Amino acid sequence: MADRHPLFKPLVFVGGLVFGFGLGFSHMARPEVVLNFLQFEDLGLPFVMFGAAIVSGVAFALLPRIRDAAPLTGSPYERRLKPFDRNVLVGGAVFGVGWGLSGICPGAAYASLGVGNVAILWALGGMFVGAYAQGYWRSRSESRDAAPAGAD
Amino acid sequence: MVADPVLLQAVADLFPNGISRYAVGGLLVGLGTVVIYAGTGIPAGASTFLESTLSYVSDRSRFQRYVGSRDWRLVFTAGIVLGALAFAATVQSGAIATSLYEPGTTGRLYEVAGVTLWTTDVQPWRLFVGGILVGIGTRIGKGCTSGHGVCGVGSASRTSLVGVATFLTVAIGTAQVVAALGVSP
C-alpha cells in the first residue's frame, strides 16, 4: 500500500533474514532432518517450533501492554486467532500427509533454496500447483464465504 | 550425584545431533517473527505467500483477496531465502565456527564460489507430490508450521493448537508408513 511507512518493507525484509537464518541453522531447511524427527530418529525439531513459539509468545503477550499500536502501521497488537472449523482438521490432515511424505513445509522450503538445495524447486513447484488448485476450487464458493482475509 | 549412564545414553540416542542447533535456530526463527510483529503488528506466516503471489497471475477471487499483502509477503520470502543463504555463506561454509552448531551428515555438500551449499537426497517425486499436498493443505487449514506452529501457538490460539496436533500426528503416521514401505531417501 502506498501510504505505508517507508521502513515497512525494510523491516519485513530484516525479519525474513533472521527467520531464514534460523531455519538454516536449525537444519529445518533439510528435508532429511524433518523426516528423521517424524521417524523418531532425532527428536530435535520440537525445540525449533516451540522455541520459536515461546519467543513470539513473549512478544505477543508483552507488546500490547507496552504500546497501543505498531509504529510502522498503526495497527493494534493482536494475537493470531483464527476461527475454528472443519477446514482446520481437513487442511491440517492434507498438510500432514504432504509434510510426512516430503519433510518440507513452506517457510523451510524457501530457506532450503537459500542453503543451495536446488532440488527443492520440485517442492516449491508442487506447493504452487496445490495452492492454485485449492484457490481455483474455493473461488467458486467465495461469495458464500465472505470472511475477511487473515494475516497469517 | 552421579547421573545414570544408561539413562544418559538413552537420551543421547534420541538427540544424535544435540539440541543446541535446534534451540538456537528456533530462537532466531522466533526473533524474526518478533521483529516483524513489533514493527507492524502482523503475526507473519510463510504459507500465505503461495496464494498472495498467485494473485499476480490469476484473477480468481480467492487469490485477489491477498493483493494488499502480496508485495510485503514477497519481501518476507526473499528475506527468508537470503537469510538462509547468509547462513550457508557463514556457518555452513565454516567461516563462523560455533560450538552451538552441529553440522550433520544428511544430503550432499557442494561448493560455488567459495560458499558451501547443500542439496537433498530426498527423491524429486516425494518433494513434488508432498509439495502439492502441502500447498493444498496449508491453505485450506489456515496456516502452516510458522503461521499455526509459531505465531498461533505463541498466541495460545486453540485453533492453531488443534491444527498443529492434527498435522504433526498425520505427518508422523505418514512418515512411518513411507519408511515401512522401504522408501528411502
Side-chain angles (χ1 to χ4, degrees):
Chain A
M1 272 176 251
D3 57 350
R4 278 210 174 115
H5 195 284
L7 289 178
F8 179 85
K9 281 182 190 162
L11 181 97
V12 167
F13 183 68
V14 170
L17 282 178
V18 178
F19 192 96
F21 193 98
L23 285 171
F25 196 96
S26 65
H27 279 205
M28 291 299 99
R30 299 188 176 193
E32 285 95 332
V33 174
V34 175
L35 292 171
N36 282 344
F37 165 72
L38 297 173
Q39 293 163 21
F40 305 134
E41 285 161 18
D42 179 350
L43 301 189
L45 185 144
F47 283 88
V48 184
M49 205 195 292
F50 294 113
I54 288 167
V55 172
S56 65
V58 169
F60 290 1
L62 285 183
L63 279 165
R65 292 159 200 257
I66 298 169
R67 288 181 65 104
D68 290 332
L72 302 187
T73 56
S75 304
Y77 287 122
E78 286 169 347
R79 290 154 69 210
R80 183 189 184 279
L81 302 175
K82 296 220 162 183
F84 181 81
D85 55 36
R86 205 167 55 97
N87 279 345
V88 176
L89 298 175
V90 174
V94 174
F95 172 35
V97 174
W99 199 32
L101 180 64
S102 66
I104 270 297
C105 60
Y110 316 149
S112 202
L113 197 58
V115 299
N117 187 8
V118 283
I120 206 66
L121 290 170
W122 286 105
L124 286 167
M127 282 179 204
F128 277 109
V129 169
Y132 184 77
Q134 69 85 35
Y136 185 92
W137 169 70
R138 289 175 94 188
S139 290
R140 293 184 310 187
S141 55
E142 200 82 321
S143 51
R144 286 189 282 125
D145 173 31
D152 70 322
Chain B
M1 209 38 207
V2 179
D4 179 2
V6 177
L7 187 67
L8 277 181
Q9 188 55 45
V11 172
D13 286 347
L14 296 175
F15 298 98
N17 297 296
I19 59 166
S20 65
R21 87 172 179 210
Y22 296 111
V24 171
L27 295 180
L28 289 171
V29 170
L31 188 63
T33 305
V34 170
V35 165
I36 294 171
Y37 182 75
T40 67
I42 298 169
S47 61
T48 310
F49 166 77
L50 299 169
E51 280 189 283
S52 69
T53 303
L54 285 166
S55 76
Y56 289 108
V57 295
S58 169
D59 292 333
R60 295 266 154 190
S61 58
R62 176 71 199 176
F63 305 122
Q64 288 302 310
R65 67 199 281 182
Y66 296 109
V67 163
S69 73
R70 65 185 182 184
D71 288 355
W72 74 254
R73 288 186 192 280
L74 209 55
V75 171
F76 178 46
T77 300
I80 295 174
V81 174
L82 292 175
L85 179 61
F87 157 77
T90 55
V91 179
Q92 188 164 273
S93 295
I96 294 177
T98 163
S99 60
L100 295 171
Y101 179 71
E102 183 71 40
T105 54
T106 55
R108 274 170 294 129
L109 294 168
Y110 65 103
E111 259 189 53
V112 174
V115 176
T116 302
L117 299 172
W118 178 91
T119 195
T120 186
D121 283 332
V122 174
Q123 301 170 61
W125 74 267
R126 292 180 74 175
L127 298 174
F128 186 67
V129 176
I132 292 174
L133 296 171
V134 167
I136 296 172
T138 59
R139 300 326 303 142
I140 289 178
K142 308 182 187 191
C144 59
T145 30
S146 58
H148 277 318
V150 177
C151 294
V153 170
S155 298
S157 155
R158 228 172 293 175
T159 298
S160 288
L161 288 167
V162 173
V164 171
T166 305
F167 64 65
L168 212 47
T169 309
V170 174
I172 288 169
T174 304
Q176 301 280 351
V177 168
V178 169
L181 291 173
V183 180
S184 173

